[in-house]
């Protein structure tokens, strides 16, 4: 009994509970964004580091290695991306490094799951449902603005929208849609002697998550949930017919929860109207045209990881004359479609690798499970669909690990065993490496959390003895912190009339603009020249900026004043 309780699979279940249920709820104020800009991603990666480290340790101790039968096809995804990344070169070293580590960690996590044959998949799926329940409760608090009753330690959202830990409505919606589908899946596949408490939590999650999802007005969430329900019910048709009372209960719950959150349908209808409205649909057209232009200029290996923003600025102005009245974002970091993103940054090498992995997974699952495969596809649908419309993996690392776990769920019965032919030295090295990587990663994540706090304190004007000091030595936040520090020095010099310091900073900023034509940097340079009364140069810089940011009305207005100066 003791050995079973402390078996590797039980330990992994505990670590996955930490990953899916505990770590996402490191709730701190932030300025929004992606990656480690959002504090919960830091704690998620801390838990993921423990999980991956334990997986590597276990592999080094095992006599066999279990792999999905399509493992060679799955490996085409990281292989294609890594190959294109090496050939295309390094555009942004920090982005390149973290993106590669993100993918490699995901590969180890996915393949590591197959090594734990007695892992209770249903229990871990239940963990994800519980996580969805907690997110739903947070969403209810935001919708009704109940922070006044529980304290301001929970950040408030704008317009009473449930942004929750993810600080973005659609990311919340796709996560809740996934949790709802998993809860329904468990209701129809669990054994008859499942505890009443677990069943109650499953029903509670369906109720609250549906209410929050509908209230959010997220088209992405509602559409993926609707399609997912159709796939799930078709895949579990036999079980649904056998449990008609349970099916009726689920339908009634979904309808009642949807009715309670019906105000969200008005937002959904409004968003749908805007989507088909010419101006809003044309914005997508510009994004896709610019993306295709970028792909055509380097179709095989792409432009390198981290190059999208630069490519957007290079190609989007070409479409200004045809779409000058469209309300476009001034800058863009992602084309809101993951395949397009990798086609631009990784070229056909990356895209072909992704498609091989995707198609092989669909093929193996469909052949093995038949009609039941639709139930498994339904669990993957919300997050997968979301990647084709936005950038959930960049905003939420939790989505990444949940999605990978669901892929494991679909493939866990389609496996082959191979002898572990690692030498004793290799096994010892892997164990040592797992400890070193775990320790280094934990220290880095701790320092990153402190650096993120530095950024927040600086933005909100909280007095500290050494502002941005920890952020300035952090690899992830260093560039952002340096820009903030330089900008602060510039405006301090402007306020105090320090012309020499202004000229020194302007020279530095001009050099940076050649490498990084950032809109905020253009604004700083223009304001700097304005401060020293060099209007000729300020107008020249503004005209250069408008060529790159043609939809910027503020620049147009400023240039219009140049002729009168």
């Amino acid at each position: 009994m003791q050995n079973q309780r402390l078996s590797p699979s039980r330990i992994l279940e505990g670590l996955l509970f930490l990953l899916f249920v505990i770590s996402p709820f490191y709730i701190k104020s932030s300025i929004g964004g992606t990656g480690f800009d959002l504090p919960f991603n830091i704690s998620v990666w801390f838990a993921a580091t423990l999980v991956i480290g334990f997986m590597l340790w276990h592999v080094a101790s095992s006599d066999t290695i279990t792999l999905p039968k399509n493992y060679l096809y799955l490996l085409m995804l990281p292989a294609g991306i890594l190959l294109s990344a090496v050939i295309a070169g390094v555009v942004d070293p920090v982005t390149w490094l973290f993106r590669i580590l993100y993918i490699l960690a995901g590969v180890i996590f996915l393949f590591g799951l197959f090594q734990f044959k007695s892992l209770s998949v249903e229990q871990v799926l239940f963990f994800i449902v519980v996580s969805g329940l907690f997110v739903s409760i947070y969403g209810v608090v935001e919708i009704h603005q109940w922070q006044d009753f529980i304290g301001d330690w929970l950040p408030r959202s704008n317009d009473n929208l449930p942004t929750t830990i993810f600080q973005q409505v659609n990311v919340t919606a796709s996560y809740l849609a996934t949790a709802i589908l998993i809860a329904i899946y468990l209701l129809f596949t669990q054994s008859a002697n499942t505890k009443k408490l677990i069943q109650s939590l499953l029903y509670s999650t369906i109720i609250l998550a549906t209410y929050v999802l509908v209230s959010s007005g997220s088209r992405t969430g509602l559409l993926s949930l609707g399609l997912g329900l159709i796939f799930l019910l078709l895949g579990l048709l036999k079980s649904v017919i056998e449990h008609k009372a349970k099916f009726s209960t689920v339908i009634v719950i979904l309808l009642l929860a949807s009715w309670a959150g019906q105000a969200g349908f008005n937002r959904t209808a409004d968003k749908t109207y805007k989507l088909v409205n010419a101006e809003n649909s044309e914005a997508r057209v510009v994004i896709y045209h610019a993306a295709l232009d970028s792909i055509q200029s380097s179709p095989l290996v792409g432009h390198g990881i981290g190059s999208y923003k630069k490519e957007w600025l290079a190609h989007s102005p070409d479409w200004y004359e045809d779409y000058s009245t469209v309300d476009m974002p001034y800058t863009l970091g992602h084309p809101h479609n993951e395949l397009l993103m990798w086609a631009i940054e990784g070229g056909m090498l990356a895209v072909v690798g992704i498609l091989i992995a995707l198609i092989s997974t669909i093929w193996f699952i469909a052949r093995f499970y038949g009609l039941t495969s639709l139930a498994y596809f339904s669990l993957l649908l919300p997050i997968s669909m979301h990647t084709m419309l936005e950038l959930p993996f960049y905003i939420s690392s939790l989505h990444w690990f949940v999605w990978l776990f669901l892929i494991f769920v679909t493939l866990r019965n389609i496996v082959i065993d191979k002898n572990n032919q690692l030498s004793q030295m290799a096994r010892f090295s892997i164990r040592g490496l797992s400890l070193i990587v775990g320790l280094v990663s934990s220290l880095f994540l701790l320092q990153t959390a402190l650096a993120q706090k530095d950024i927040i304190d600086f933005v909100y004007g909280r007095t500290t003895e050494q502002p941005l000091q920890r952020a300035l030595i952090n690899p992830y936040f260093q560039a952002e912190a340096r820009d903030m520090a330089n900008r602060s020095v510039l405006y301090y010099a402007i306020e105090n009339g320090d012309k020499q310091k202004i000229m020194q900073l302007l020279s530095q900023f001009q050099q940076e603009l050649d490498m990084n034509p950032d809109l905020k940097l253009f604004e700083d340079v223009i304001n700097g020249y304005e401060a020293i009364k060099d209007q000729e140069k300020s107008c020249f810089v503004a005209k250069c900026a408008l060529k790159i940011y043609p939809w910027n009305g503020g620049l147009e207005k400023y240039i219009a004043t140049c002729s009168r100066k």
Side-chain angles (χ1 to χ4, degrees), residues 232-306:
L232 183 61
L233 295 177
L234 288 174
L236 299 177
L237 189 59
K238 183 178 179 181
S239 181
V240 169
I241 293 174
E242 291 176 356
H243 301 88
K244 294 179 182 177
K246 187 180 292 185
F247 171 69
S248 300
T249 302
V250 169
I251 295 299
V252 170
I253 285 175
L254 289 171
L255 291 175
L256 288 175
S258 298
W259 175 82
Q262 61 184 306
F265 281 123
N266 296 329
R267 281 192 287 269
T268 304
D270 184 53
K271 290 178 182 178
T272 303
Y273 169 76
K274 289 181 178 179
L275 180 66
V276 298
N277 179 274
E279 182 174 321
N280 286 274
S281 60
E282 286 175 350
R284 288 267 181 180
V285 172
V286 174
I287 292 173
Y288 294 153
H289 273 311
L292 292 175
D293 288 345
S294 181
I295 292 169
Q296 289 174 5
S297 62
S298 183
L300 183 60
V301 298
H303 299 273
I305 291 177

Side-chain angles (χ1 to χ4, degrees), residues 387-406:
T387 63
M388 295 297 102
L389 300 170
E390 285 187 331
L391 52 157
F393 293 151
Y394 299 79
I395 297 174
S396 169
S397 298
L398 182 62
H399 278 63
W400 174 237
F401 289 111
V402 167
W403 189 70
L404 290 172
F405 182 80
L406 293 176

Side-chain angles (χ1 to χ4, degrees), residues 329-515:
Y330 296 151
T331 187
L332 205 63
H334 193 283
H336 287 212
N337 182 292
E338 199 63 26
L339 280 178
L340 272 182
M341 180 70 166
W342 282 110
I344 293 167
E345 295 195 348
M348 288 301 103
L349 279 178
V351 172
V352 168
I354 292 170
L355 291 177
I356 289 174
L358 176 65
I359 294 171
S360 72
T361 300
I362 294 173
W363 174 253
F364 273 78
I365 295 170
R367 284 187 60 192
F368 188 85
Y369 291 108
L371 183 63
T372 307
S373 63
L374 292 176
Y376 291 113
F377 292 146
S378 73
L379 304 183
L380 287 161
L381 185 63
I383 296 177
S384 299
M385 180 182 292
H386 197 183
T387 63
M388 295 297 102
L389 300 170
E390 285 187 331
L391 52 157
F393 293 151
Y394 299 79
I395 297 174
S396 169
S397 298
L398 182 62
H399 278 63
W400 174 237
F401 289 111
V402 167
W403 189 70
L404 290 172
F405 182 80
L406 293 176
I407 290 177
F408 159 71
V409 171
T410 64
L411 292 172
R412 73 186 190 278
N413 295 319
I414 316 172
V415 296
I416 55 174
D417 290 330
K418 292 181 175 290
N419 291 328
N420 190 344
Q421 298 180 349
L422 291 173
S423 65
Q424 288 300 320
M425 180 58 70
R427 292 170 187 260
F428 178 79
S429 299
I430 290 175
R431 290 173 186 161
L433 181 65
S434 66
L435 291 175
I436 294 172
V437 170
L439 178 61
V440 172
S441 298
S442 298
L443 291 174
F444 166 74
L445 290 168
L446 175 61
Q447 204 277 332
T448 299
L450 297 173
Q452 196 267 349
K453 183 179 183 300
D454 269 3
I455 298 287
I456 296 300
D457 288 342
F458 186 83
V459 169
Y460 289 107
R462 298 168 187 164
T463 304
T464 58
E465 292 183 2
Q466 296 180 315
L468 296 176
Q469 288 304 302
R470 290 172 295 199
L472 285 167
I473 61 172
N474 180 271
Y476 188 87
F477 286 111
Q478 188 177 61
E480 182 180 358
R482 185 171 57 245
D483 290 343
M484 287 182 172
N486 287 337
R487 186 169 295 120
S488 177
V489 173
L490 172 66
Y491 287 101
Y492 182 81
I494 291 174
E495 183 179 347
N496 290 276
D498 188 344
K499 186 174 180 180
Q500 183 178 357
K501 189 64 177 179
I502 295 172
M503 291 293 294
Q504 178 186 343
L505 287 168
L506 286 176
S507 176
Q508 177 183 332
F509 287 0
Q510 286 277 30
Q511 293 177 7
E512 291 181 17
L513 279 175
D514 294 336
M515 300 295 296

Side-chain angles (χ1 to χ4, degrees), residues 165-288:
I165 59 173
F166 307 110
Q167 299 189 25
Q168 210 265 12
V169 170
N170 286 334
V171 179
T172 296
S174 64
Y175 192 75
L176 292 182
T178 301
I180 293 167
L181 293 170
I182 293 174
I184 297 173
Y185 170 83
L186 290 175
L187 280 172
F188 285 100
T189 58
Q190 64 187 354
S191 60
N193 58 354
T194 301
K195 294 180 180 179
K196 296 295 183 182
L197 176 61
I198 292 178
Q199 293 190 41
S200 299
L201 288 173
L202 293 175
Y203 282 118
S204 298
T205 301
I206 296 171
I207 294 170
L208 287 179
T210 302
Y211 169 72
V212 173
L213 173 55
V214 174
S215 297
S216 73
S218 168
R219 289 177 291 109
T220 301
L222 288 170
L223 180 59
S224 62
L225 177 61
L227 291 175
L229 285 171
I230 294 172
F231 279 30
L232 183 61
L233 295 177
L234 288 174
L236 299 177
L237 189 59
K238 183 178 179 181
S239 181
V240 169
I241 293 174
E242 291 176 356
H243 301 88
K244 294 179 182 177
K246 187 180 292 185
F247 171 69
S248 300
T249 302
V250 169
I251 295 299
V252 170
I253 285 175
L254 289 171
L255 291 175
L256 288 175
S258 298
W259 175 82
Q262 61 184 306
F265 281 123
N266 296 329
R267 281 192 287 269
T268 304
D270 184 53
K271 290 178 182 178
T272 303
Y273 169 76
K274 289 181 178 179
L275 180 66
V276 298
N277 179 274
E279 182 174 321
N280 286 274
S281 60
E282 286 175 350
R284 288 267 181 180
V285 172
V286 174
I287 292 173
Y288 294 153

